[in-house]
Amino acid sequence: QVQLEESGGGLVQAGGSLRLSCAASVRTFSAYTMGWFRQAPGKEREFVAAISRSAGNTYYADSVKGRFTISRENAKSTVYLQMNSLKPEDTAVYYCALSDAVYYTGYAAFGSWGQGTQVTVSS
């Protein structure tokens, strides 16, 4: 059974940075595409970033391009989300997710999810 555990969330001022981590307990981490999603209060969960299993392809929502960077360390079964120049509208619960697709193909391809970590950006 896949388990995903996020960490690194917290309270930060606008313009600050945070680095989220997601540790996966899965047999062959390198075989999976990984993604980050977020959900703000009263809003639907939305895509943030994804990285293919080989790390050769990365994908970003327009709202975070140029500010967020997704990366992975297959030897540690961990995916990261470096978030810079944070804005109050980035405030949300951030979820890590796992897909057995070769590349990012959309929300529906992610079958395993973490519990989420809260990110709050104050103005």
mmCIF file of all heavy atoms in Angstrom, residues 10-12 38-41 43 46 68 86-94 118-123:
data_model
loop_
_atom_site.group_PDB
_atom_site.id
_atom_site.type_symbol
_atom_site.label_atom_id
_atom_site.label_comp_id
_atom_site.label_asym_id
_atom_site.label_seq_id
_atom_site.Cartn_x
_atom_site.Cartn_y
_atom_site.Cartn_z
ATOM 1 N N GLY A 10 3.898 25.681 6.550
ATOM 2 C CA GLY A 10 3.997 26.609 7.657
ATOM 3 C C GLY A 10 3.467 27.968 7.295
ATOM 4 O O GLY A 10 2.792 28.141 6.276
ATOM 5 N N LEU A 11 3.781 28.926 8.152
ATOM 6 C CA LEU A 11 3.367 30.312 7.969
ATOM 7 C C LEU A 11 4.561 31.126 7.485
ATOM 8 O O LEU A 11 5.649 31.055 8.078
ATOM 9 C CB LEU A 11 2.851 30.868 9.295
ATOM 10 C CG LEU A 11 2.514 32.360 9.335
ATOM 11 C CD1 LEU A 11 1.360 32.672 8.393
ATOM 12 C CD2 LEU A 11 2.193 32.782 10.758
ATOM 13 N N VAL A 12 4.357 31.884 6.423
ATOM 14 C CA VAL A 12 5.444 32.680 5.864
ATOM 15 C C VAL A 12 4.870 34.008 5.375
ATOM 16 O O VAL A 12 3.696 34.076 4.987
ATOM 17 C CB VAL A 12 6.149 31.914 4.723
ATOM 18 C CG1 VAL A 12 5.216 31.675 3.561
ATOM 19 C CG2 VAL A 12 7.407 32.619 4.268
ATOM 20 N N ARG A 38 -3.102 21.643 -4.701
ATOM 21 C CA ARG A 38 -3.447 22.449 -3.519
ATOM 22 C C ARG A 38 -4.945 22.728 -3.493
ATOM 23 O O ARG A 38 -5.606 22.725 -4.534
ATOM 24 C CB ARG A 38 -2.653 23.750 -3.498
ATOM 25 C CG ARG A 38 -3.009 24.735 -4.609
ATOM 26 C CD ARG A 38 -2.030 25.915 -4.579
ATOM 27 N NE ARG A 38 -2.360 26.893 -5.614
ATOM 28 C CZ ARG A 38 -1.597 27.956 -5.887
ATOM 29 N NH1 ARG A 38 -0.473 28.166 -5.218
ATOM 30 N NH2 ARG A 38 -1.978 28.810 -6.826
ATOM 31 N N GLN A 39 -5.426 22.972 -2.285
ATOM 32 C CA GLN A 39 -6.835 23.280 -2.120
ATOM 33 C C GLN A 39 -6.982 24.395 -1.088
ATOM 34 O O GLN A 39 -6.601 24.212 0.069
ATOM 35 C CB GLN A 39 -7.624 22.055 -1.691
ATOM 36 C CG GLN A 39 -9.128 22.264 -1.671
ATOM 37 C CD GLN A 39 -9.884 20.962 -1.569
ATOM 38 O OE1 GLN A 39 -9.354 19.922 -1.183
ATOM 39 N NE2 GLN A 39 -11.159 21.000 -1.936
ATOM 40 N N ALA A 40 -7.502 25.499 -1.532
ATOM 41 C CA ALA A 40 -7.783 26.632 -0.646
ATOM 42 C C ALA A 40 -9.197 26.503 -0.098
ATOM 43 O O ALA A 40 -10.046 25.832 -0.695
ATOM 44 C CB ALA A 40 -7.622 27.939 -1.412
ATOM 45 N N PRO A 41 -9.476 27.144 1.021
ATOM 46 C CA PRO A 41 -10.819 27.056 1.608
ATOM 47 C C PRO A 41 -11.888 27.495 0.620
ATOM 48 O O PRO A 41 -11.772 28.548 -0.015
ATOM 49 C CB PRO A 41 -10.729 28.006 2.797
ATOM 50 C CG PRO A 41 -9.289 28.029 3.166
ATOM 51 C CD PRO A 41 -8.547 27.915 1.865
ATOM 52 N N LYS A 43 -12.572 26.289 -2.210
ATOM 53 C CA LYS A 43 -12.226 26.111 -3.627
ATOM 54 C C LYS A 43 -11.942 24.647 -3.914
ATOM 55 O O LYS A 43 -11.689 23.848 -3.023
ATOM 56 C CB LYS A 43 -11.009 26.967 -3.985
ATOM 57 C CG LYS A 43 -11.253 28.458 -3.885
ATOM 58 C CD LYS A 43 -10.084 29.229 -4.442
ATOM 59 C CE LYS A 43 -10.350 30.730 -4.432
ATOM 60 N NZ LYS A 43 -9.207 31.498 -5.012
ATOM 61 N N GLU A 46 -6.651 22.007 -6.973
ATOM 62 C CA GLU A 46 -6.094 22.380 -8.273
ATOM 63 C C GLU A 46 -4.663 21.903 -8.423
ATOM 64 O O GLU A 46 -3.931 21.738 -7.447
ATOM 65 C CB GLU A 46 -6.144 23.902 -8.461
ATOM 66 C CG GLU A 46 -5.272 24.689 -7.506
ATOM 67 C CD GLU A 46 -5.260 26.190 -7.814
ATOM 68 O OE1 GLU A 46 -5.984 26.631 -8.727
ATOM 69 O OE2 GLU A 46 -4.500 26.904 -7.132
ATOM 70 N N PHE A 68 7.737 28.482 -8.517
ATOM 71 C CA PHE A 68 7.824 27.166 -7.885
ATOM 72 C C PHE A 68 8.679 26.235 -8.744
ATOM 73 O O PHE A 68 8.657 26.318 -9.977
ATOM 74 C CB PHE A 68 6.438 26.542 -7.736
ATOM 75 C CG PHE A 68 5.527 27.199 -6.735
ATOM 76 C CD1 PHE A 68 5.834 28.425 -6.160
ATOM 77 C CD2 PHE A 68 4.349 26.582 -6.363
ATOM 78 C CE1 PHE A 68 4.995 29.029 -5.245
ATOM 79 C CE2 PHE A 68 3.487 27.161 -5.454
ATOM 80 C CZ PHE A 68 3.819 28.394 -4.891
ATOM 81 N N LEU A 86 6.388 33.808 -2.547
ATOM 82 C CA LEU A 86 5.037 33.377 -2.190
ATOM 83 C C LEU A 86 4.085 34.562 -2.068
ATOM 84 O O LEU A 86 4.476 35.663 -1.655
ATOM 85 C CB LEU A 86 5.070 32.584 -0.892
ATOM 86 C CG LEU A 86 5.566 31.136 -1.058
ATOM 87 C CD1 LEU A 86 6.024 30.553 0.266
ATOM 88 C CD2 LEU A 86 4.471 30.276 -1.678
ATOM 89 N N LYS A 87 2.844 34.294 -2.439
ATOM 90 C CA LYS A 87 1.797 35.302 -2.404
ATOM 91 C C LYS A 87 0.668 34.824 -1.486
ATOM 92 O O LYS A 87 0.482 33.617 -1.302
ATOM 93 C CB LYS A 87 1.236 35.506 -3.814
ATOM 94 C CG LYS A 87 2.264 35.866 -4.862
ATOM 95 C CD LYS A 87 1.630 35.922 -6.242
ATOM 96 C CE LYS A 87 2.636 36.254 -7.314
ATOM 97 N NZ LYS A 87 2.031 36.317 -8.671
ATOM 98 N N PRO A 88 -0.107 35.742 -0.948
ATOM 99 C CA PRO A 88 -1.244 35.321 -0.108
ATOM 100 C C PRO A 88 -2.174 34.344 -0.820
ATOM 101 O O PRO A 88 -2.739 33.444 -0.181
ATOM 102 C CB PRO A 88 -1.943 36.643 0.206
ATOM 103 C CG PRO A 88 -0.845 37.656 0.193
ATOM 104 C CD PRO A 88 0.067 37.204 -0.928
ATOM 105 N N GLU A 89 -2.311 34.473 -2.124
ATOM 106 C CA GLU A 89 -3.194 33.564 -2.862
ATOM 107 C C GLU A 89 -2.619 32.154 -2.997
ATOM 108 O O GLU A 89 -3.289 31.254 -3.509
ATOM 109 C CB GLU A 89 -3.520 34.134 -4.253
ATOM 110 C CG GLU A 89 -2.325 34.577 -5.068
ATOM 111 C CD GLU A 89 -2.071 36.074 -4.941
ATOM 112 O OE1 GLU A 89 -2.137 36.606 -3.806
ATOM 113 O OE2 GLU A 89 -1.776 36.699 -5.987
ATOM 114 N N ASP A 90 -1.385 31.956 -2.559
ATOM 115 C CA ASP A 90 -0.818 30.603 -2.520
ATOM 116 C C ASP A 90 -1.247 29.844 -1.267
ATOM 117 O O ASP A 90 -0.947 28.662 -1.119
ATOM 118 C CB ASP A 90 0.713 30.657 -2.570
ATOM 119 C CG ASP A 90 1.245 31.194 -3.883
ATOM 120 O OD1 ASP A 90 0.708 30.818 -4.946
ATOM 121 O OD2 ASP A 90 2.203 31.995 -3.847
ATOM 122 N N THR A 91 -1.922 30.523 -0.361
ATOM 123 C CA THR A 91 -2.385 29.889 0.870
ATOM 124 C C THR A 91 -3.343 28.746 0.555
ATOM 125 O O THR A 91 -4.332 28.933 -0.152
ATOM 126 C CB THR A 91 -3.081 30.917 1.776
ATOM 127 O OG1 THR A 91 -2.127 31.895 2.194
ATOM 128 C CG2 THR A 91 -3.696 30.241 3.001
ATOM 129 N N ALA A 92 -3.015 27.568 1.059
ATOM 130 C CA ALA A 92 -3.817 26.371 0.770
ATOM 131 C C ALA A 92 -3.224 25.188 1.521
ATOM 132 O O ALA A 92 -2.121 25.272 2.066
ATOM 133 C CB ALA A 92 -3.820 26.074 -0.728
ATOM 134 N N VAL A 93 -3.957 24.101 1.497
ATOM 135 C CA VAL A 93 -3.388 22.812 1.894
ATOM 136 C C VAL A 93 -2.775 22.204 0.641
ATOM 137 O O VAL A 93 -3.433 22.111 -0.396
ATOM 138 C CB VAL A 93 -4.453 21.875 2.481
ATOM 139 C CG1 VAL A 93 -3.828 20.519 2.799
ATOM 140 C CG2 VAL A 93 -5.071 22.492 3.730
ATOM 141 N N TYR A 94 -1.520 21.818 0.744
ATOM 142 C CA TYR A 94 -0.793 21.260 -0.387
ATOM 143 C C TYR A 94 -0.708 19.738 -0.240
ATOM 144 O O TYR A 94 -0.321 19.233 0.813
ATOM 145 C CB TYR A 94 0.605 21.858 -0.466
ATOM 146 C CG TYR A 94 0.596 23.257 -1.049
ATOM 147 C CD1 TYR A 94 0.070 24.326 -0.325
ATOM 148 C CD2 TYR A 94 1.086 23.511 -2.331
ATOM 149 C CE1 TYR A 94 0.031 25.599 -0.870
ATOM 150 C CE2 TYR A 94 1.052 24.783 -2.872
ATOM 151 C CZ TYR A 94 0.526 25.822 -2.138
ATOM 152 O OH TYR A 94 0.484 27.090 -2.672
ATOM 153 N N GLN A 118 -0.327 22.308 5.437
ATOM 154 C CA GLN A 118 -0.873 23.664 5.324
ATOM 155 C C GLN A 118 0.234 24.671 5.031
ATOM 156 O O GLN A 118 1.270 24.683 5.698
ATOM 157 C CB GLN A 118 -1.581 24.064 6.620
ATOM 158 C CG GLN A 118 -2.113 25.484 6.637
ATOM 159 C CD GLN A 118 -3.313 25.675 5.729
ATOM 160 O OE1 GLN A 118 -4.236 24.869 5.737
ATOM 161 N NE2 GLN A 118 -3.295 26.759 4.937
ATOM 162 N N VAL A 119 -0.031 25.507 4.042
ATOM 163 C CA VAL A 119 0.838 26.641 3.722
ATOM 164 C C VAL A 119 -0.004 27.904 3.858
ATOM 165 O O VAL A 119 -1.055 28.025 3.230
ATOM 166 C CB VAL A 119 1.411 26.525 2.303
ATOM 167 C CG1 VAL A 119 2.130 27.812 1.913
ATOM 168 C CG2 VAL A 119 2.356 25.331 2.200
ATOM 169 N N THR A 120 0.469 28.809 4.687
ATOM 170 C CA THR A 120 -0.240 30.071 4.896
ATOM 171 C C THR A 120 0.718 31.218 4.616
ATOM 172 O O THR A 120 1.798 31.284 5.201
ATOM 173 C CB THR A 120 -0.774 30.184 6.325
ATOM 174 O OG1 THR A 120 -1.640 29.073 6.600
ATOM 175 C CG2 THR A 120 -1.553 31.473 6.512
ATOM 176 N N VAL A 121 0.309 32.098 3.715
ATOM 177 C CA VAL A 121 1.137 33.238 3.332
ATOM 178 C C VAL A 121 0.429 34.503 3.799
ATOM 179 O O VAL A 121 -0.674 34.800 3.357
ATOM 180 C CB VAL A 121 1.375 33.269 1.819
ATOM 181 C CG1 VAL A 121 2.325 34.414 1.468
ATOM 182 C CG2 VAL A 121 1.939 31.942 1.332
ATOM 183 N N SER A 122 1.075 35.223 4.669
ATOM 184 C CA SER A 122 0.479 36.448 5.200
ATOM 185 C C SER A 122 0.924 37.650 4.374
ATOM 186 O O SER A 122 2.035 37.690 3.835
ATOM 187 C CB SER A 122 0.892 36.640 6.656
ATOM 188 O OG SER A 122 2.285 36.811 6.756
ATOM 189 N N SER A 123 0.044 38.623 4.278
ATOM 190 C CA SER A 123 0.347 39.819 3.469
ATOM 191 C C SER A 123 1.017 40.895 4.310
ATOM 192 O O SER A 123 1.131 40.790 5.509
ATOM 193 C CB SER A 123 -0.947 40.363 2.880
ATOM 194 O OG SER A 123 -1.873 40.663 3.901
#
